[in-house]
Amino acid sequence: MSEQFNKHYEVGQEIGRGRFGTVYRCFSCRTGNSLAVKTIDKSLLADSYDRECVEHEAKLHRIASRENPHVVSLHDSFEDESSIHLVLDLCSGTDLLDRISSDAPLSEPEAAALAAELLEAIASCHRRGVAHRDVKPDNVMFDMNGKLKLADFGSAAWFGGLDGEEKMEGIVGTPYYVAPEVIAGRRYSEKVDVWSAGVVIYMMLSGRAPFDGESAADIFEAVLRGNLRFPTRIFGSVSSMAKDLLRRMISRDVTRRFSAEQALEHPWIVSCGGSKLMV
């Protein structure tokens, strides 16, 4: 760890690993609070694109997490010759993927409550001009109080806010959750996050992904076809309101796809997920 980091924090045990580095528990020397530090090994950054993503991660994460209770907070960042260190909220609970794997299908009230918190996180990011671009259950964490927190801004991009006209490009994300316009190589908007969130909600209600395949290429083909189905044996007891929201979020036509704000106002979210929280 860098000398500056060691002045302020004490490193504990390893709690996770990713493509570019390792996450450790750490402790604030000033407060004693438990936090997490994501240490990114610069030697693992394969090219200039990887380096650019990492350099932008801290800046965009800080913007996205400002006064946003459903985004993992970035408390500090440090850099030395070999590594970049990001000090984050410690999310000691399970992630949403674990919950889906063990409990799916979730009841509609539970799924809607989680969907409302996830959409709050995404809408707040979009109001600040940040697109996450890798919304998936393993990037949705829970803190020790069970509050949902959107994590990992390693693929995030700046698009200039809801009144901006900047489009994004580049194939990023995870096959099951990535929007078709990303796969097609077109320039795209922040609504890619809404598609991904819709896939997450579909999985909460069914325990399966809407677009599947034996390989990444097969999954991409299924996503590009965008043939959204609700098998009766799985969705027979799911309300028409829930399915209506999914159709409006997982829409190939971006002009008809809901924004995160519109999804928050949908009757299924309002009636099942609770009233809208302003962040």
Side-chain angles (χ1 to χ4, degrees):
M1 295 293 178
S2 70
E3 182 178 345
Q4 283 299 312
F5 175 89
N6 290 330
K7 286 182 179 179
H8 301 283
Y9 301 96
E10 179 183 343
V11 179
Q13 76 272 26
E14 178 183 323
I15 56 177
R17 280 183 177 267
R19 184 158 64 105
F20 294 136
T22 308
V23 180
Y24 301 91
R25 184 186 294 267
C26 71
F27 306 91
S28 168
C29 296
R30 183 175 63 85
T31 66
N33 290 342
S34 295
L35 298 163
V37 56
K38 179 180 180 180
T39 295
I40 300 165
D41 185 344
K42 292 181 183 178
S43 69
L44 297 177
L45 305 180
D47 51 36
S48 59
Y49 178 77
D50 286 345
R51 175 72 194 192
E52 183 180 356
C53 285
V54 169
E55 288 176 346
H56 282 90
E57 179 175 359
K59 177 181 178 180
L60 295 178
H61 194 155
R62 196 179 299 278
I63 292 169
S65 65
R66 188 181 304 138
E67 298 180 1
N68 190 336
H70 294 300
V71 169
V72 169
S73 291
L74 175 63
H75 297 274
D76 256 328
S77 60
F78 304 89
E79 183 171 0
D80 54 38
E81 290 185 3
S82 62
S83 304
I84 297 169
H85 312 284
L86 306 179
V87 181
L88 308 160
D89 285 341
L90 176 66
C91 292
S92 53
T94 59
D95 61 33
L96 184 55
L97 182 62
D98 290 333
R99 186 170 295 188
I100 290 172
S101 299
S102 60
D103 298 336
L106 305 184
S107 69
E108 286 196 47
E110 182 180 5
L114 293 172
E117 293 185 350
L118 176 58
L119 288 166
E120 284 293 349
I122 293 170
S124 183
C125 290
H126 291 177
R127 287 195 292 271
R128 290 164 169 80
V130 177
H132 186 279
R133 300 202 301 175
D134 196 18
V135 174
K136 58 183 179 179
D138 15 355
N139 283 340
V140 178
M141 313 295 291
F142 296 96
D143 66 15
M144 63 184 64
N145 298 314
K147 180 182 287 187
L148 181 149
K149 300 269 189 177
L150 182 61
D152 196 345
F153 283 74
S155 297
W158 173 257
F159 68 90
L162 298 182
D163 296 326
E165 297 182 353
E166 288 189 43
K167 295 288 186 179
M168 295 165 282
E169 58 186 350
I171 298 178
V172 296
T174 303
Y176 289 114
Y177 312 98
V178 68
E181 61 267 31
V182 176
I183 301 169
R186 301 196 298 268
R187 294 173 68 81
Y188 49 84
S189 74
E190 75 283 356
K191 284 187 178 181
V192 296
D193 289 342
V194 177
W195 173 286
S196 301
V199 173
V200 172
I201 297 169
Y202 186 105
M203 291 182 68
M204 287 194 285
L205 291 170
S206 69
R208 55 172 285 181
F211 310 109
D212 206 348
E214 295 184 0
S215 66
D218 291 340
I219 297 167
F220 286 155
E221 287 182 13
V223 170
L224 287 170
R225 288 193 298 270
N227 188 9
L228 184 64
R229 296 178 177 175
F230 300 103
T232 302
R233 65 182 179 83
I234 299 172
F235 280 90
S237 62
V238 174
S239 70
S240 59
M241 275 201 307
K243 287 181 276 194
D244 179 73
L245 175 61
L246 290 173
R247 290 189 187 95
R248 295 172 186 273
M249 294 178 70
I250 310 175
S251 169
R252 288 178 60 199
D253 185 344
V254 180
T255 63
R256 300 182 65 180
R257 188 184 306 163
F258 267 4
S259 67
E261 296 280 5
Q262 287 173 314
L264 278 169
E265 299 291 352
H266 189 273
W268 186 70
I269 295 293
V270 173
S271 63
C272 296
S275 57
K276 182 177 178 182
L277 302 172
M278 296 303 295
V279 295

